Amino acid sequence: MSKPRDIRRLAFLALYQLDAQSDVDESEVRAAMEQSAEDLSTTFREQDLEKALHMAVGAFEGRRTADSTVRDLAPSWPSHRQPAVDRAILRLAIHEMTTGITPPKVAIAEGVRLAKQYSTERSPAFVNGVLDKVYKAGMTDTAAAPAPEETA
């Protein structure tokens, strides 16, 4: 079984692709995810690929709500002014937090980790600040019991 961190990273890469190419269908995203998995030198089981795809599609479908949340909490940095990488990270982390897929503090830490790995020098602080505001505003689903594997 792949680590939740690897599944999240794959979901982030798929979400980034969905955002970059608005007319991409799910089969193209799946093919890109499989290529990304090879590039990451990580072996993913079919159910892990499905989980990553489900997370990415869910975050993409909830992008308007996530973008609205960010606009309300960081009005100087609406989604259209953010680097595409940061936008994808925020959308994924907000999706994880608001659906209860991941405990909020884990989603924040993992969002910052992705920003450190894939974005600009200033991005980790920005991502942390926005996600912390989402958490403090009580916009997360804390009722969902965290699975032990989600803390990785």
mmCIF file of all heavy atoms in Angstrom, residues 56-75:
data_model
loop_
_atom_site.group_PDB
_atom_site.id
_atom_site.type_symbol
_atom_site.label_atom_id
_atom_site.label_comp_id
_atom_site.label_asym_id
_atom_site.label_seq_id
_atom_site.Cartn_x
_atom_site.Cartn_y
_atom_site.Cartn_z
ATOM 1 N N ALA A 56 -8.393 14.173 -6.425
ATOM 2 C CA ALA A 56 -8.153 15.247 -7.401
ATOM 3 C C ALA A 56 -9.456 15.720 -8.036
ATOM 4 O O ALA A 56 -9.698 16.927 -8.140
ATOM 5 C CB ALA A 56 -7.187 14.760 -8.485
ATOM 6 N N VAL A 57 -10.293 14.788 -8.439
ATOM 7 C CA VAL A 57 -11.560 15.157 -9.071
ATOM 8 C C VAL A 57 -12.465 15.872 -8.063
ATOM 9 O O VAL A 57 -13.107 16.872 -8.386
ATOM 10 C CB VAL A 57 -12.249 13.918 -9.695
ATOM 11 C CG1 VAL A 57 -13.669 14.226 -10.126
ATOM 12 C CG2 VAL A 57 -11.431 13.412 -10.880
ATOM 13 N N GLY A 58 -12.495 15.381 -6.821
ATOM 14 C CA GLY A 58 -13.298 16.037 -5.786
ATOM 15 C C GLY A 58 -12.836 17.462 -5.530
ATOM 16 O O GLY A 58 -13.658 18.381 -5.414
ATOM 17 N N ALA A 59 -11.530 17.648 -5.463
ATOM 18 C CA ALA A 59 -10.987 18.996 -5.251
ATOM 19 C C ALA A 59 -11.279 19.886 -6.458
ATOM 20 O O ALA A 59 -11.594 21.074 -6.307
ATOM 21 C CB ALA A 59 -9.487 18.935 -4.988
ATOM 22 N N PHE A 60 -11.196 19.318 -7.666
ATOM 23 C CA PHE A 60 -11.474 20.105 -8.863
ATOM 24 C C PHE A 60 -12.944 20.504 -8.924
ATOM 25 O O PHE A 60 -13.273 21.638 -9.256
ATOM 26 C CB PHE A 60 -11.069 19.324 -10.112
ATOM 27 C CG PHE A 60 -11.132 20.142 -11.370
ATOM 28 C CD1 PHE A 60 -10.201 21.142 -11.605
ATOM 29 C CD2 PHE A 60 -12.115 19.927 -12.316
ATOM 30 C CE1 PHE A 60 -10.247 21.916 -12.763
ATOM 31 C CE2 PHE A 60 -12.174 20.682 -13.472
ATOM 32 C CZ PHE A 60 -11.239 21.676 -13.700
ATOM 33 N N GLU A 61 -13.813 19.578 -8.574
ATOM 34 C CA GLU A 61 -15.242 19.886 -8.577
ATOM 35 C C GLU A 61 -15.594 20.920 -7.508
ATOM 36 O O GLU A 61 -16.531 21.692 -7.686
ATOM 37 C CB GLU A 61 -16.065 18.611 -8.381
ATOM 38 C CG GLU A 61 -16.036 17.713 -9.600
ATOM 39 C CD GLU A 61 -16.703 16.369 -9.387
ATOM 40 O OE1 GLU A 61 -17.037 16.013 -8.228
ATOM 41 O OE2 GLU A 61 -16.882 15.648 -10.391
ATOM 42 N N GLY A 62 -14.850 20.955 -6.422
ATOM 43 C CA GLY A 62 -15.100 21.914 -5.353
ATOM 44 C C GLY A 62 -14.274 23.179 -5.460
ATOM 45 O O GLY A 62 -14.206 23.982 -4.530
ATOM 46 N N ARG A 63 -13.663 23.395 -6.627
ATOM 47 C CA ARG A 63 -12.744 24.528 -6.781
ATOM 48 C C ARG A 63 -13.406 25.887 -6.582
ATOM 49 O O ARG A 63 -12.790 26.794 -6.032
ATOM 50 C CB ARG A 63 -12.015 24.466 -8.111
ATOM 51 C CG ARG A 63 -12.867 24.727 -9.340
ATOM 52 C CD ARG A 63 -12.115 24.384 -10.625
ATOM 53 N NE ARG A 63 -12.908 24.600 -11.814
ATOM 54 C CZ ARG A 63 -13.813 23.757 -12.278
ATOM 55 N NH1 ARG A 63 -14.061 22.626 -11.638
ATOM 56 N NH2 ARG A 63 -14.488 24.030 -13.381
ATOM 57 N N ARG A 64 -14.630 26.037 -7.018
ATOM 58 C CA ARG A 64 -15.295 27.343 -6.864
ATOM 59 C C ARG A 64 -15.497 27.675 -5.392
ATOM 60 O O ARG A 64 -15.275 28.802 -4.967
ATOM 61 C CB ARG A 64 -16.613 27.358 -7.625
ATOM 62 C CG ARG A 64 -16.408 27.453 -9.125
ATOM 63 C CD ARG A 64 -17.710 27.439 -9.909
ATOM 64 N NE ARG A 64 -17.493 27.484 -11.334
ATOM 65 C CZ ARG A 64 -17.142 26.449 -12.091
ATOM 66 N NH1 ARG A 64 -16.960 25.279 -11.547
ATOM 67 N NH2 ARG A 64 -16.967 26.590 -13.397
ATOM 68 N N THR A 65 -15.893 26.689 -4.604
ATOM 69 C CA THR A 65 -16.066 26.902 -3.170
ATOM 70 C C THR A 65 -14.717 27.185 -2.513
ATOM 71 O O THR A 65 -14.600 28.102 -1.692
ATOM 72 C CB THR A 65 -16.731 25.667 -2.520
ATOM 73 O OG1 THR A 65 -17.988 25.441 -3.155
ATOM 74 C CG2 THR A 65 -16.928 25.864 -1.043
ATOM 75 N N ALA A 66 -13.709 26.412 -2.860
ATOM 76 C CA ALA A 66 -12.372 26.628 -2.291
ATOM 77 C C ALA A 66 -11.837 28.008 -2.671
ATOM 78 O O ALA A 66 -11.296 28.732 -1.828
ATOM 79 C CB ALA A 66 -11.411 25.542 -2.763
ATOM 80 N N ASP A 67 -12.001 28.380 -3.938
ATOM 81 C CA ASP A 67 -11.526 29.686 -4.392
ATOM 82 C C ASP A 67 -12.265 30.819 -3.686
ATOM 83 O O ASP A 67 -11.666 31.835 -3.329
ATOM 84 C CB ASP A 67 -11.684 29.824 -5.906
ATOM 85 C CG ASP A 67 -10.767 28.902 -6.690
ATOM 86 O OD1 ASP A 67 -9.891 28.250 -6.080
ATOM 87 O OD2 ASP A 67 -10.944 28.812 -7.920
ATOM 88 N N SER A 68 -13.548 30.637 -3.465
ATOM 89 C CA SER A 68 -14.332 31.640 -2.748
ATOM 90 C C SER A 68 -13.854 31.774 -1.304
ATOM 91 O O SER A 68 -13.739 32.876 -0.774
ATOM 92 C CB SER A 68 -15.814 31.260 -2.785
ATOM 93 O OG SER A 68 -16.571 32.155 -2.016
ATOM 94 N N THR A 69 -13.568 30.645 -0.692
ATOM 95 C CA THR A 69 -13.047 30.644 0.677
ATOM 96 C C THR A 69 -11.728 31.395 0.746
ATOM 97 O O THR A 69 -11.525 32.239 1.621
ATOM 98 C CB THR A 69 -12.872 29.197 1.184
ATOM 99 O OG1 THR A 69 -14.149 28.555 1.186
ATOM 100 C CG2 THR A 69 -12.258 29.161 2.561
ATOM 101 N N VAL A 70 -10.842 31.113 -0.187
ATOM 102 C CA VAL A 70 -9.539 31.786 -0.210
ATOM 103 C C VAL A 70 -9.722 33.282 -0.458
ATOM 104 O O VAL A 70 -9.083 34.114 0.187
ATOM 105 C CB VAL A 70 -8.605 31.157 -1.265
ATOM 106 C CG1 VAL A 70 -7.330 31.973 -1.428
ATOM 107 C CG2 VAL A 70 -8.274 29.719 -0.879
ATOM 108 N N ARG A 71 -10.619 33.626 -1.371
ATOM 109 C CA ARG A 71 -10.873 35.038 -1.664
ATOM 110 C C ARG A 71 -11.364 35.768 -0.417
ATOM 111 O O ARG A 71 -10.957 36.889 -0.139
ATOM 112 C CB ARG A 71 -11.882 35.173 -2.801
ATOM 113 C CG ARG A 71 -12.109 36.612 -3.261
ATOM 114 C CD ARG A 71 -13.071 36.736 -4.438
ATOM 115 N NE ARG A 71 -14.342 36.057 -4.207
ATOM 116 C CZ ARG A 71 -14.743 34.944 -4.832
ATOM 117 N NH1 ARG A 71 -13.986 34.387 -5.744
ATOM 118 N NH2 ARG A 71 -15.904 34.392 -4.546
ATOM 119 N N ASP A 72 -12.223 35.111 0.368
ATOM 120 C CA ASP A 72 -12.731 35.726 1.598
ATOM 121 C C ASP A 72 -11.655 35.862 2.672
ATOM 122 O O ASP A 72 -11.636 36.843 3.412
ATOM 123 C CB ASP A 72 -13.903 34.908 2.159
ATOM 124 C CG ASP A 72 -15.132 34.957 1.268
ATOM 125 O OD1 ASP A 72 -15.201 35.826 0.373
ATOM 126 O OD2 ASP A 72 -16.020 34.106 1.472
ATOM 127 N N LEU A 73 -10.764 34.868 2.747
ATOM 128 C CA LEU A 73 -9.755 34.857 3.812
ATOM 129 C C LEU A 73 -8.459 35.561 3.424
ATOM 130 O O LEU A 73 -7.711 35.986 4.300
ATOM 131 C CB LEU A 73 -9.459 33.412 4.226
ATOM 132 C CG LEU A 73 -10.649 32.649 4.811
ATOM 133 C CD1 LEU A 73 -10.281 31.191 5.040
ATOM 134 C CD2 LEU A 73 -11.128 33.304 6.103
ATOM 135 N N ALA A 74 -8.177 35.650 2.152
ATOM 136 C CA ALA A 74 -6.958 36.315 1.661
ATOM 137 C C ALA A 74 -7.340 37.163 0.456
ATOM 138 O O ALA A 74 -6.963 36.858 -0.680
ATOM 139 C CB ALA A 74 -5.904 35.287 1.296
ATOM 140 N N PRO A 75 -8.090 38.260 0.686
ATOM 141 C CA PRO A 75 -8.626 39.041 -0.439
ATOM 142 C C PRO A 75 -7.558 39.625 -1.370
ATOM 143 O O PRO A 75 -7.843 39.886 -2.535
ATOM 144 C CB PRO A 75 -9.436 40.144 0.241
ATOM 145 C CG PRO A 75 -9.062 40.139 1.669
ATOM 146 C CD PRO A 75 -8.477 38.804 1.978
#
